Amino acid sequence: MVRLGSRAGAGAAVATARGAFASDERKAELRADFEMQTAAQVVESLGNMKGAVMKIGQMASYLDQGLPQPVRDALA
């Protein structure tokens, strides 16, 4: 989980830096790419885990607030 958090944090920093001077359209594109990459990393990590941690990931897919639809779809 620490590795996943580190990768997500590094990815957020890169996406923020890349979008610093980008147009609003490009920023939205970068944000969407980051969300999908992070969702894929979470799915991969949770897929290798067992028990309660995996169930937490499955429950997260049902959250209506805080997660974009593509991320909820990936978790489902």
Side-chain angles (χ1 to χ4, degrees), residues 4-5 26-29 51 55:
L4 177 62
R26 180 68 177 143
K27 285 180 186 179
E29 187 178 305
K55 289 297 178 190

Side-chain angles (χ1 to χ4, degrees), residues 43-57:
V43 168
E44 180 183 340
S45 294
L46 291 177
N48 294 328
M49 295 181 179
K50 305 272 187 270
V53 175
M54 184 177 65
K55 289 297 178 190
I56 290 170

Side-chain angles (χ1 to χ4, degrees), residues 7-71:
R7 281 192 283 173
V14 169
T16 300
R18 290 178 68 196
F21 300 106
S23 67
D24 288 340
E25 183 179 302
R26 180 68 177 143
K27 285 180 186 179
E29 187 178 305
L30 289 170
R31 185 174 30 257
D33 288 345
F34 168 70
E35 290 170 354
M36 290 307 299
Q37 288 174 356
T38 302
Q41 291 172 352
V42 168
V43 168
E44 180 183 340
S45 294
L46 291 177
N48 294 328
M49 295 181 179
K50 305 272 187 270
V53 175
M54 184 177 65
K55 289 297 178 190
I56 290 170
Q58 290 171 339
M59 289 186 304
S61 69
Y62 295 103
L63 295 175
D64 289 334
Q65 299 176 353
L67 294 175
Q69 185 63 41
V71 174

